[in-house]
Every structure is written in C-alpha cells, then in structure tokens.
C-alpha cells in the first residue's frame, strides 16, 4: 500500500469497505440459497452429567459449508441472517432438522437450541417455535432454549414475555455464555431461567489461574441457592473435567466429552454409550 496520505488513502479504505460489502452480499445470497436448498445443517454436541458422565442432552449447532465460500462459522452467518432479516427462516430450518433428529434419541435426552437476539425481540417467536415442535411431535419438555444476556438486554420486556410463554409450555431456558455479558447478577434475579451455562473463557483458564476457579465456585454456589442447574462449557481435557466435578458443577460439555457431530454420527455415539450402559445392568 502507498505511504502517501490524503486522497489515496481514502480511496484504499473505500475500496476495502466496498469489498467488505460485496462479500457480505455474496455471503447473504449464498446463505439464502442454502436455506432454500435445505443445505444448512445442524450438528449436535453432547452435554453430560458430570457425576457419572451420562449423556443428558445435546446442543444443536448450525453448520454450513458452501461450495465456493467453504466452511462459514455460525458466529458469522447467524448475525448476517439477523442483519439481513431472514433469521426466522434460518431458525425454522434448523429447529425442524434438530427436533426431527431428537425424535430418534432416547426420550430422556433433551435438545438444546440457540436463540438469536433478533428472535428474542420478536413477540411471535414463542408461538412459532412451539408450532414447529408440535408439528414434528417433539415434547416441549424435551426442548431447551439457550439465550445470552446480551440478547436479553436488547429488548428485555419482549424477551421476558417470550421466555414466560415458552416456560409455561414446558420448554426450559438456559442462560448461555454466562459471565461474559454485563449485569449478569441482575438478570438472574429478574428473569426466570432453568439453567446457566458457564462460558468457556472461565473453563479454559481453570488450570492456569486460581481466579477462574474461584469464579466458577461462586457461580456454582449462587446457582445452588437460586435452584438453577449449571453447565460448564468447553471442557477440553480430563483435568478440567475433574476440577469442575470437584467444584460441584452438575453438567459439562466440550471436546473432551464429544465434538459437535451430524445426526448420523450422533446416533452412533448414543448407541455406543447405551450399549455400555446396557452391559452394566
Ligand atoms: P455457543 O452457543 O456458546 O456454542 C458453543 C460453541 O463452542 C460452539 O461453537 C461449539 O462448537 C464450541 N465448543 C464446544 N465445546 C468446545 C471445546 O471444548 N473447545 C472449544 N474451543 N470450543 C468448543 P460454534 O458451533 O462455532 O458456534 C458458535 C456460536 O454460534 C454459538 O456459541 C452460538 O452463539 C452461535 N450458534 C451456533 N448455532 C446456532 C444456531 O443454530 N442458532 C443461533 N441463533 N446461534 C447459533
Ligand atoms: Mg449455546
Ligand atoms: Mg455458549
Ligand atoms: Mg459462545
């Protein structure tokens, strides 16, 4: 790039911005097409009971690999769908696939599904989600919805209404990425949740600094008092798992227990696990 200041630089920046916009639009078009073609997929990551390592449910995670663009992270395409106003159709495709897959699992396992902030700002969300799982035949008591503090904060009143309606129908709600947003404690008091998911940032530092250990300990004890379940996210090795167990954390999720896998691999994972359980009986 030229060292010259002034007009030249402005041209470089505006070209970069134009490039960026072009890429976003290309991404948007490809994503819209992928949704229509039913090519956006959903993978599942196990959530386990840390006391006995039994699988208790799976989190659904959106997956999209475009022929030209390659793998695109949901952290990129979910916000894009929100911005461009088609999160609803993306979410519907994903929930349909996820709920359908969950029908093949043992009935005691739950399905955890992420809600985006735009969905939490739309009062029609609760009835839309309930209609979908009703059509598919998934018991609402097997569904859990993950929401973040940031999403709740965007429109707290509407979010509260949606959460109340869903919980009245038997759906459980968990607070995702706990510890990373603002006003965490206030949210816990004002909102009715069932579960808290401790962000991976704390879990991944548990072996290197004592502070994270103390923070997790405090979250666990607070959740006990509030009668909330606790899940630790991002457990990557055995020593982290042992530490979290020792801290009294009830549930865990992470590469140590299983990476997100497609519906077929998930059935295989379950059949291996359940064969083990049957052999013990
Ligand atoms: P999240 O809901 O907090 O999901 C957890 C993320 O951590 C996932 O990334 C998962 O693959 C990753 N992860 C799980 N265990 C480990 C571990 O042991 N180590 C490490 N390093 N990572 C781990 P992913 O799938 O890339 O999703 C990123 C985010 O995108 C999600 O964060 C969620 O906010 C969003 N997202 C994914 N799928 C959906 C969806 O269907 N709908 C909505 N609204 N958002 C979604
Ligand atoms: Mg999540
Ligand atoms: Mg999370
Ligand atoms: Mg996260």
């Amino acid at each position: 790039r030229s060292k010259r200041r002034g007009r030249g630089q402005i041209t470089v920046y505006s070209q970069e911005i134009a490039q960026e916009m072009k890429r976003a639009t290309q991404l948007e078009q490809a994503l819209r097409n992928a949704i229509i073609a039913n090519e956006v997929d959903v993978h599942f990551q196990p959530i386990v009971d840390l006391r006995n390592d039994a699988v208790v449910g799976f989190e659904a995670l959106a997956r999209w690999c475009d022929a030209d663009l390659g793998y695109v992270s949901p952290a990129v395409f979910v916000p894009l769908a929100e911005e461009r106003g088609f999160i609803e159709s993306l979410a519907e495709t994903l929930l349909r696939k996820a709920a359908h897959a969950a029908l093949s699992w043992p009935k005691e396992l739950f399905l955890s599904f992420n809600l985006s902030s735009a969905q939490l700002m739309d009062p029609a969300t609760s009835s839309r989600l309930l209609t979908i799982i009703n059509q598919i035949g998934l018991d609402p008591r097997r569904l859990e919805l993950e929401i973040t503090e940031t999403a709740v904060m965007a429109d707290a009143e509407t979010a509260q209404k949606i959460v109340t309606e869903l919980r009245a129908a038997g759906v459980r709600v968990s607070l995702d990425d706990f510890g990373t947003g603002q006003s965490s404690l206030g949210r816990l008091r004002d909102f009715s949740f069932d579960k808290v998911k401790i962000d991976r940032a704390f879990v991944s530092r548990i072996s290197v600094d004592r502070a994270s250990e103390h923070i997790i300990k405090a979250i666990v004890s607070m959740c006990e008092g509030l009668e909330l379940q606790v899940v630790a996210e991002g457990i990557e090795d055995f020593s982290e798992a042992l530490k979290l167990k020792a801290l009294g954390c009830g549930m865990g999720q992470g590469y140590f227990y299983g990476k997100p896998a497609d519906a077929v691999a998930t059935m295989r994972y379950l059949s291996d696990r359940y064969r083990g359980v049957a052999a013990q009986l």
Side-chain angles (χ1 to χ4, degrees):
R1 188 187 297 182
S2 149
K3 269 186 181 166
R4 218 158 18 101
R5 299 258 154 195
R7 275 179 73 107
Q9 190 151 27
I10 290 167
T11 310
V12 170
Y13 283 149
S14 58
Q15 272 172 1
E16 276 171 9
I17 292 166
Q19 207 68 60
E20 192 60 44
M21 281 168 65
K22 197 179 153 204
R23 180 169 158 79
T25 302
Q26 187 190 12
L27 212 61
E28 174 188 358
Q29 207 38 256
L31 181 57
R32 283 184 187 270
N33 292 339
I35 294 170
I36 293 165
N38 211 22
E39 283 167 7
V40 184
D41 202 11
V42 58
H43 282 200
F44 303 93
Q45 186 179 33
I47 299 172
V48 305
D49 182 334
L50 287 175
R51 289 167 309 180
N52 53 14
D53 288 357
V55 186
V56 288
F58 287 91
E59 176 175 2
L61 293 159
R63 290 292 178 265
W64 175 41
C65 192
D66 179 77
D68 301 318
L69 301 161
Y71 175 80
V72 185
S73 164
V76 170
F77 70 76
V78 169
L80 183 78
E82 291 191 282
E83 263 169 47
R84 306 283 171 123
F86 59 102
I87 186 67
E88 226 178 80
S89 60
L90 173 63
E92 175 170 344
T93 310
L94 292 169
L95 183 58
R96 279 190 187 284
K97 287 195 180 185
H100 190 261
L103 289 183
S104 310
W105 307 341
K107 283 193 173 54
E108 65 271 22
L109 301 187
F110 64 80
L111 167 70
S112 204
F113 187 80
N114 292 283
L115 283 194
S116 70
S117 41
Q119 287 179 286
L120 277 174
M121 287 157 59
D122 181 352
T125 291
S126 32
S127 65
R128 251 189 227 122
L129 297 175
L130 292 170
T131 302
I132 293 170
I133 62 159
N134 261 324
Q135 282 171 352
I136 290 175
L138 184 77
D139 186 339
R141 287 168 301 183
R142 290 184 61 194
L143 181 66
E144 229 173 76
L145 296 168
E146 302 193 3
I147 65 184
T148 63
E149 294 160 64
T150 322
V152 168
M153 302 252 290
D155 179 353
E157 207 176 305
T158 306
Q160 176 82 268
K161 190 169 166 282
I162 293 169
V163 165
T164 305
E165 286 168 2
L166 287 164
R167 292 185 83 230
V171 175
R172 280 165 300 171
V173 175
S174 54
L175 195 53
D176 202 359
D177 303 342
F178 185 74
T180 57
Q182 316 94 325
S183 82
S184 325
L185 303 179
R187 288 297 135 196
L188 282 186
R189 192 199 52 205
D190 299 340
F191 247 80
S192 20
F193 294 102
D194 302 280
K195 200 180 261 187
V196 162
K197 299 188 78 173
I198 304 176
D199 195 76
R200 176 153 58 85
F202 300 107
V203 174
S204 62
R205 296 192 58 86
I206 200 171
S207 304
V208 288
D209 75 48
R210 293 299 299 262
S212 293
E213 199 175 320
H214 286 297
I215 291 168
I216 291 175
K217 203 193 260 179
I219 296 175
V220 167
S221 121
M222 179 183 70
C223 287
E224 253 166 32
L226 294 169
E227 294 181 334
L228 295 168
Q229 296 189 296
V230 188
V231 185
E233 296 192 284
I235 303 178
E236 291 187 349
D237 60 44
F238 185 47
S239 86
E240 287 170 359
L242 287 178
K243 284 208 171 98
L244 288 156
K245 270 182 232 218
L247 291 172
C249 191
M251 283 175 256
Q253 177 180 2
Y255 295 167
F256 177 63
Y257 293 103
K259 290 195 171 177
D262 67 23
V264 172
T266 297
M267 279 307 282
R268 224 181 296 124
Y269 176 90
L270 280 173
S271 88
D272 287 349
R273 286 245 167 178
Y274 274 71
R275 193 176 299 123
V277 171
Q280 280 167 30
L281 296 176

